[in-house]
Amino acid sequence: MGKFKMNSQALLKYILGTSEGDIMYTLLSEYKNKSTDEFIQKTCTEIALSTGLECETIRATINRMVKKGLLQKKPGIRENHYVNFFKPEFNTSIYIESAIQKLQSKKEVTNISNRNQAKDFIPKIVEILQSDSNILVALDFIEGGKQ
């Protein structure tokens, strides 16, 4: 078998879950030409258009992500509309922790295929995440040295 290659969105969905992974991918994609010091502004509708998720699902998922330390959020106004400003966590350590937790939880599942897939995928995912401390570089959103 060749080198393990999982696209960035699939990797995030695999370790974070579908909704969190889709939202994180959408937000990280905004940083291709932005400084990691910046917050980005997004409405619920804009995130829904990128992810296909419903607004209530987006709100609940974002609140979970904030509690987990994956995301910072602050409210604001843009063109007389309520918007949120977001800043994802860029340090890969929190994503590695999520991957390891997923592996631990998969040890309990009864489906042997899912358990074996996690035993195969997660060490390789952790290796990808350990390739750089910045998630944008590790997942090829940007090249190393560009921040």
Side-chain angles (χ1 to χ4, degrees):
M1 187 168 138
K3 184 179 182 215
F4 181 81
K5 182 69 178 153
M6 181 181 260
N7 83 32
S8 301
Q9 187 171 13
L11 187 148
L12 289 166
K13 288 169 74 166
Y14 192 78
I15 63 171
L16 300 178
T18 302
S19 298
E20 290 180 16
D22 279 341
I23 291 170
M24 185 59 75
Y25 180 82
T26 297
L27 297 175
L28 290 173
S29 295
E30 293 287 323
Y31 283 90
K32 289 180 180 177
N33 297 307
K34 286 187 178 12
S35 164
T36 56
D37 295 330
E38 294 179 55
F39 277 73
I40 54 170
Q41 53 183 320
K42 284 284 185 193
T43 64
C44 185
T45 301
E46 289 168 332
I47 294 172
L49 290 171
S50 295
T51 63
L53 299 170
E54 294 179 335
C55 279
E56 190 51 40
T57 301
I58 292 167
R59 282 187 203 95
T61 303
I62 285 171
N63 289 337
R64 270 196 322 271
M65 293 170 76
V66 169
K67 285 180 186 169
K68 290 179 178 180
L70 290 165
L71 195 59
Q72 294 177 50
K73 174 180 93 167
K74 60 183 183 178
I77 301 289
R78 178 179 76 193
E79 299 168 6
N80 297 322
H81 294 288
Y82 177 79
V83 295
N84 281 303
F85 291 84
F86 298 104
K87 185 176 176 190
E89 176 56 55
F90 296 104
N91 190 303
T92 54
S93 62
I94 197 164
Y95 300 92
I96 292 168
E97 185 180 313
S98 290
I100 292 168
Q101 287 173 358
K102 173 146 184 152
L103 181 59
Q104 293 303 317
S105 71
K106 286 296 182 181
K107 289 180 179 177
E108 308 299 319
V109 299
T110 55
N111 185 302
I112 190 89
S113 296
N114 290 352
R115 199 167 52 232
N116 287 339
Q117 181 178 327
K119 284 185 350 191
D120 182 42
F121 281 16
I122 291 179
K124 294 169 185 169
I125 288 170
V126 168
E127 192 175 305
I128 290 167
L129 294 171
Q130 288 174 333
S131 70
D132 197 281
S133 63
N134 183 329
I135 192 76
L136 296 172
V137 177
L139 296 185
D140 294 327
F141 283 99
I142 63 171
E143 292 180 23
K146 275 176 62 180
Q147 288 190 52

